[in-house]
Amino acid sequence: MQNQVKISVKNLVEFLLRSGSLDNRFGGINRADEGARIHRKLQKAGGEGYQAEVFLSYTAEHHGITYQVEGRADGILTNEEGIVIDEIKTTLVPLERIAEDFNHAHWGQAMCYAYFYGVQHQQEKITVQLRYYHVDTDQIKVFRRIFMLEELQRFYFDLLDQYEKWAQLQQGWLAVRQQSIQELKFPFSSYRAGQRQLAAAVYRTIAADGMLFCQAPTGIGKTMSTLFPAIKAMGEDKTERIFYLTAKTITRQVAEDALLRMRENGLRLKTITLTAKDKICFLEERNCNPEACPYADGYYHRVNDALYDLLEHEEAMTRQTIALYAETHKVCPFELALDASLWCDAIVGDYNYLFDPVVYLKRFFSGKKEKIVFLIDEAHNLVDRSRSMYSALLSKAQILEAKRLVGKENKRVYQALGKVNAEMLSMRKQCEELGQKGITQKEFPKELVHLLHQFIHCMEEWMERHRGESMVQEVLQCYFDARFFLKITELYDDHYLTYIAVQGSEVRVKLLCMDPSALLRQAMERGSSSILFSATFSPLDYFASVLGGDETSKKYALPSPFDAQNLGVFIAGGISTKYNDREKSLRPIADMLYAMMREKRGNYMAYFPSYRYMNDVYEVFRTVYPQVRTLLQSSGMGEVEREQFLEQFDTADSESLLGFCVLGGVYAEGVDLQGDRLIGTAIIGVGLPQINVEQNILRDYYDQVNGMGFSYAYQFPGMNKVQQAAGRVIRGESERGVVLLIDSRFTTSSYRALFPPHWQHAQYVRNREELCEKLREFW
């Protein structure tokens, strides 16, 4: 509604009354769950006249703007003295350091609730109570103030006066944005094949507050086909905000480009691309405290000026834009971006900002649920990413090293680490008694968890006593890893297994997330609709099941927009690439690669399941065919080296080029070699993940769940890599290219069933002569 602002009490007060500096020396402690538990405990102890979590809302017009401000008071106590508004704050700061004016925002929240309650219940006088609860000592410090209603009224409307320029900025912007969206046309002269269908499916899903899993092959234009309908839905008030989430920097750039094209067609939209703290930090060595960083020192005194300047003058807030304003106003660029994101219509960033259990953007998702749409690009990557995000590892070597570095002079921390180490020793002994190098169990190790809590308690006590002092990085990392381990135990259920592995003196305890689907769905329920899409999302039922889908989720598979006859798919099924056959496969693979290149000059890539296998074939190929220009991917290539590698794939050179790459690596996905820059790929093997204990644990888990353990742990992820690598060929309507699949397993029905529709015309070749003949016909 025009000229109406809806905001929570917490957001209003903290935004206007925050002050001081950024300081991570006592940060990184995620006590949200513990804080909620403590709140419930204190509220329960409030007695008969105590009401907990009382929702209060107040709507009033002020200077032509209607403000609807709401929130939940922790408690309201009615006794013989009158009404008491109770505000509970949990803290790790020693209570002797907390004075009555420790934090003005804490008083501000309670005073707003007191005013709302006073107006609604005609109370002339109200008591406000702040209770600080120390989470480690269970001590409580209480402050009380009595306010007259007129005093609370002056305070509240003074807040609105301070907020007025922000409200006007917001209201003016919304009017401009909505009009531009309503007038926005599709930014191309026509839709590509499949593009209109995808856009319509996305729009319908957003309108229905649903979930969609969509396989949209290369060439459809997934980014525009998802962003455009989401923006149009925003113009019809079907969503309030858009998150475009992806795993890679290059796909974030594609989203920025799509938004730019729509801006060129009249769109007015405030967008921001969030960049990782390590990448955007101005310091050579990131150290977020006021003594080490001038951008952290006094941040909250300067940030609102920086924010207003940024919002008033910019709509596309890229990494470079944020850095410019942060430098101008001498504020932290990472925190400025997060603060600015709250005022933006669309946010582009990594999966972490929604799904990571520690670093997700709580500022968006801790209050009342918004109508947010999540556009999740290249969502096949989310399977492994989420299993990693929701798993935790602790090693005995790390604990022992932290204990050594802490030293005996820090007695309590030293002893706490000693007890953790002793418990891990007992785990090692348990494995040895069973004659095994590793054991799995359904429950997390309760005694280890108990001892980690003690270590955390001692560490935080020490950190508070020595606030401002530097700490050895390894000790700090051990502390953070232990806290994360404990965080994962809070998520631990029957979708988890614990794996205890022993190798020599080392013990590694890992909480393994087998099935992340429930956690992913829970994260996506922070918004109203989710669109998960990828060029390689097959089989759709598998991806929907592991990425949080249910019986209400829609699944949609679009055909390739390109003429299938432009892609030659050939299967060299006479070569086995299974581990035991690899030695004898080297020369036949080298011959097939040469045959693939012989019929047409151009650039080719060959993808291998491992660096070792790739290097072995490379050596044979270089020996037998020294005249062919080749490139070899190496492990640990830096950004410059990777760019130089891709620069070799141009069309100006008169020689053919064959790049040797690793399947699933940086050149197998997200690389866009358009035109004649790549005319053929060979894929050696069916892409199975490396066989190891954890992958076998995953296989056994799904064998018990649905009888499809091998498919879920190995076959489906492997074929996804194969399809991703094959997708590097043919990026446009007029392009032609070939895909050569080398492995006997590609001839079996279980693998052929996983071929995408535009591979159904694949042809078998028995030898290199037959491949040359068929390629001659194709070209």
Side-chain angles (χ1 to χ4, degrees), residues 25-26 29 31 89-103 106 131-143 412 457-468:
R25 290 171 298 186
F26 202 56
I29 301 169
R31 288 282 177 102
K89 298 298 179 185
T90 54
T91 183
L92 288 167
V93 178
L95 293 184
E96 59 268 21
R97 292 193 186 181
I98 296 180
E100 190 170 353
D101 288 322
F102 175 70
N103 189 313
H106 294 170
R131 287 198 282 171
Y132 289 96
Y133 180 100
H134 196 279
V135 295
D136 288 334
T137 65
D138 294 329
Q139 293 177 311
I140 301 173
K141 195 167 190 176
V142 182
F143 300 101
R412 294 195 66 205
H457 172 79
C458 295
M459 259 302 273
E460 291 175 354
E461 201 175 60
W462 185 93
M463 290 164 72
E464 178 54 35
R465 284 201 313 271
H466 298 81
R467 183 190 269 266

Side-chain angles (χ1 to χ4, degrees), residues 370-382:
E370 281 187 50
K371 283 186 73 69
I372 297 175
V373 57
F374 301 121
L375 304 178
I376 302 167
D377 192 7
E378 302 294 354
H380 63 276
N381 287 305
L382 190 55

Side-chain angles (χ1 to χ4, degrees), residues 408-448:
K408 293 182 180 178
E409 59 272 20
N410 301 308
K411 185 178 177 182
R412 294 195 66 205
V413 178
Y414 182 84
Q415 289 177 340
L417 284 165
K419 289 177 182 178
V420 174
N421 183 63
E423 177 60 20
M424 297 181 91
L425 277 172
S426 71
M427 292 176 165
R428 188 175 77 193
K429 187 177 180 182
Q430 182 186 0
C431 289
E432 290 169 349
E433 288 172 351
L434 293 170
Q436 296 180 14
K437 290 186 175 180
I439 57 174
T440 58
Q441 59 188 49
K442 289 187 177 180
E443 302 81 21
F444 63 75
K446 291 184 174 60
E447 181 59 25
L448 177 64

Side-chain angles (χ1 to χ4, degrees), residues 476-495:
L476 204 56
Q477 190 59 52
C478 180
Y479 163 75
F480 286 130
D481 289 348
R483 282 221 61 88
F484 184 71
F485 194 92
L486 294 178
K487 174 65 181 176
I488 296 302
T489 64
E490 297 169 9
L491 307 176
Y492 199 102
D493 59 11
D494 57 4
H495 297 104

Side-chain angles (χ1 to χ4, degrees), residues 138-154:
D138 294 329
Q139 293 177 311
I140 301 173
K141 195 167 190 176
V142 182
F143 300 101
R144 280 191 172 193
R145 289 177 179 171
I146 298 173
F147 293 96
M148 300 305 293
L149 190 63
E150 303 87 44
E151 189 179 358
L152 294 170
Q153 183 182 49
R154 284 196 301 273

